Amino acid sequence: MSDNHPERLLLQLSAGFAAITVAITLVFFAWWSMKEQFMFGDQPFDAVGWMKARHSKQCERGDMVHDIRQNFLVPGMPRTVVTTRLGRPDWEEGTQLEYELGTCLWVVHGLRLYFDPQGLLVHHAIVQH
């Protein structure tokens, strides 16, 4: 046996550990970037279903949130148009509105909408409570 054998083994173990760490990191960030797709469904927006699910603890509204964000919410949209389509918000403070989405994957979520002082939509985000 040579004296380099323990060093070589340590080097191989370190390289293996580094490879596993990189793989786990890549999987985590891939999941993180697509977590909303896993968490929320892809049902089309249904105004009646949205209104009926207002106080539901289930993720019924969450299943429609992608369609709303992709096909309805547009920066510059007036606040009145949003509330006409989505109904009365569950929370309102100043230039922000929030619609409860329910408990999706064990966490309560909401669709938060941010408006400028003129009442035009600036940004929207899914928030956790």
Side-chain angles (χ1 to χ4, degrees):
M1 270 192 165
S2 72
D3 292 330
N4 291 337
H5 189 312
E7 291 172 356
R8 184 178 301 161
L9 180 60
L10 184 60
L11 183 62
Q12 290 172 343
L13 288 173
S14 297
F17 180 73
I20 289 171
T21 302
V22 168
I24 290 172
T25 302
L26 289 174
V27 168
F28 172 77
F29 282 111
W31 172 82
W32 184 260
S33 68
M34 297 185 301
K35 73 178 178 155
E36 288 183 3
Q37 294 172 350
F38 296 125
M39 201 173 302
F40 305 110
D42 59 354
Q43 294 180 8
F45 175 70
D46 169 30
V48 173
W50 178 265
M51 298 299 179
K52 286 171 68 175
R54 180 167 186 205
H55 297 291
S56 174
K57 298 296 178 195
Q58 303 299 319
C59 192
E60 295 171 52
R61 281 183 160 185
D63 290 340
M64 294 183 252
V65 76
H66 277 303
D67 188 48
I68 292 168
R69 293 178 76 193
Q70 297 277 332
N71 300 314
F72 174 64
L73 297 175
V74 178
M77 173 181 281
R79 184 176 181 149
T80 55
V81 172
V82 172
T83 56
T84 299
R85 183 79 189 261
L86 299 181
R88 185 176 174 182
D90 298 297
W91 174 84
E92 190 171 355
E93 185 177 301
T95 59
Q96 298 180 28
L97 303 177
E98 186 171 319
Y99 293 91
E100 291 179 13
L101 299 178
T103 303
C104 311
L105 282 182
W106 309 287
V107 179
V108 177
H109 290 85
L111 174 62
R112 175 97 35 110
L113 307 173
Y114 302 88
F115 295 88
D116 65 15
Q118 290 75 39
L120 301 177
L121 183 65
V122 177
H123 175 67
H124 54 84
I126 295 176
V127 296
Q128 296 181 359
H129 298 282

